[in-house]
Structures are given as structure tokens and as C-alpha cells.
């Protein structure tokens, strides 16, 4: 009699979240707990570092979006593209106003947004800060481990969104 090996992943019982779980018990830990904990810790670390230089993470998003798109964006485009990342539906519009007031952005006659020299200097300074913070967060983690972790998370998102493919 031949036994067939299933290609389906094994089912593992879900254990309660346990920050002190031993390595051999990690497969039973809830992903929502650990991904949420990682999100909160990394976001808090980033936002605390930015607050020390009087900048917010959404301000950095806006500076990058105005600088990095294929075309010069309008206010509405920036708001539309970044609102899903924000803490509320009005946050990005307020950030655009803050950056216009601060002199880091300017709007042209067609109401397209541009970085000023001060805005570009701030964006570069923030990119350097974020690069240093990334190094702190990634300490002891190889690029291969990081890519593997993101691929697993991407697959989990695809699994729950129903398309089953990354």
C-alpha cells in the first residue's frame, strides 16, 4: 500500500498570544498579534524620532509623493493616494496645508504641488533619518530573512483577500 504525501500545509492549533513563547512554539502564535506588535513598535519608533525634529510621518509621505511621482501631482492626487495610509480621512489635506504654510511646498498656477528648496532639503534630511532608523530596526536581520518575512506576510494578505496569489 502506497501512502500519498499531502502538499497542503499542516493545520496547527492556535495558541494564545505569548510574548515569551519559546522558538518551538512560535508556529502556534497568532500572526495578527505579532504583526500588530511589530507595526506599533516600528511606527512609534519612527514617529518619535521624527517628532524630535518637528516633523511627522505623514509630512514625510507627502514630501516623497510630491517628489517621487511620474508627474507633478495636484493636491487632490496627493490626498487621494495617501489617505489610505493616514490616521483619518482629513489628515493628508491638513499635512499639505502645513507644508504649504511651512514653505516646504508651493502650488503653481495649475494647482500642482512642488517641493521648494527648503522642502527638498527636509526630504533629504528625513530620508537620511529613515535610513538610519531602518538600520536599527533591521539589526541582526539579513536581507534574505527580511525578504522571506515580507513574502510570508504578502502571501497571508493574499490568502485572506481571497485571490490566493501574491
Amino acid at each position: 500500500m502506497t501512502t500519498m504525501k499531502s502538499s497542503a500545509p499542516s493545520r496547527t492549533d492556535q495558541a494564545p498570544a505569548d510574548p515569551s513563547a519559546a522558538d518551538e512554539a512560535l508556529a502556534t502564535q497568532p500572526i495578527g498579534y505579532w504583526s500588530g506588535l511589530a507595526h506599533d513598535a516600528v511606527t512609534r519608533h519612527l514617529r518619535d524620532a521624527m517628532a524630535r525634529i518637528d516633523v511627522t510621518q505623514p509630512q514625510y509621505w507627502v514630501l516623497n509623493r510630491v517628489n517621487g511621482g511620474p508627474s507633478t501631482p495636484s493636491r487632490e492626487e496627493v490626498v487621494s493616494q495617501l489617505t489610505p495610509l493616514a490616521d483619518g480621512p482629513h489628515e493628508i489635506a491638513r499635512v499639505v496645508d502645513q507644508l504649504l504654510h511651512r514653505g516646504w511646498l508651493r502650488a503653481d498656477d495649475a494647482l500642482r504641488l512642488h517641493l521648494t528648496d527648503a522642502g527638498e532639503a527636509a526630504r533629504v534630511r528625513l530620508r537620511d533619518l529613515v535610513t538610519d532608523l531602518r538600520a536599527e530596526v533591521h539589526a541582526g536581520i539579513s536581507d534574505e530573512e527580511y525578504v522571506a518575512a515580507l513574502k510570508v506576510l504578502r502571501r497571508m494578505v493574499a490568502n485572506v483577500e481571497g485571490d490566493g496569489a501574491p
Side-chain angles (χ1 to χ4, degrees), residues 8-16 23-31:
S10 64
R11 287 179 53 101
T12 304
D13 286 341
Q14 182 74 53
D23 287 355
E24 57 273 5
L26 289 177
T28 65
Q29 290 291 290
I31 186 62

Side-chain angles (χ1 to χ4, degrees), residues 85-163:
L85 304 173
D87 290 335
H90 307 291
E91 181 176 28
I92 300 302
R94 290 179 186 129
V95 166
V96 170
D97 289 339
Q98 291 167 347
L99 295 177
L100 286 165
H101 177 76
R102 191 175 269 194
W104 288 4
L105 290 181
R106 68 174 179 79
D108 63 21
D109 293 338
L111 301 179
R112 298 278 176 189
L113 297 175
H114 304 269
L115 292 180
T116 63
D117 289 343
E120 174 60 10
R123 188 191 66 76
V124 169
R125 189 171 60 252
L126 286 164
R127 184 192 62 217
D128 291 343
L129 172 66
V130 169
T131 299
D132 290 344
L133 293 170
R134 183 187 189 282
E136 287 178 35
V137 171
H138 289 236
I141 301 167
S142 71
D143 285 347
E144 293 78 17
E145 290 171 310
Y146 182 71
V147 168
L150 292 187
K151 287 171 80 173
V152 166
L153 291 172
R154 185 169 62 185
R155 180 57 186 223
M156 288 179 173
V157 169
N159 288 345
V160 299
E161 289 184 347
D163 63 10

Side-chain angles (χ1 to χ4, degrees), residues 42-61 63-64 102 104 120-138:
V42 170
T43 300
R44 184 175 46 255
H45 185 64
L46 178 69
R47 289 182 175 188
D48 288 350
M50 288 182 170
R52 287 190 286 276
I53 59 170
D54 193 28
V55 179
T56 67
Q57 186 181 31
Q59 288 173 340
Y60 181 54
W61 297 337
L63 292 173
N64 277 328
R102 191 175 269 194
W104 288 4
E120 174 60 10
R123 188 191 66 76
V124 169
R125 189 171 60 252
L126 286 164
R127 184 192 62 217
D128 291 343
L129 172 66
V130 169
T131 299
D132 290 344
L133 293 170
R134 183 187 189 282
E136 287 178 35
V137 171
H138 289 236

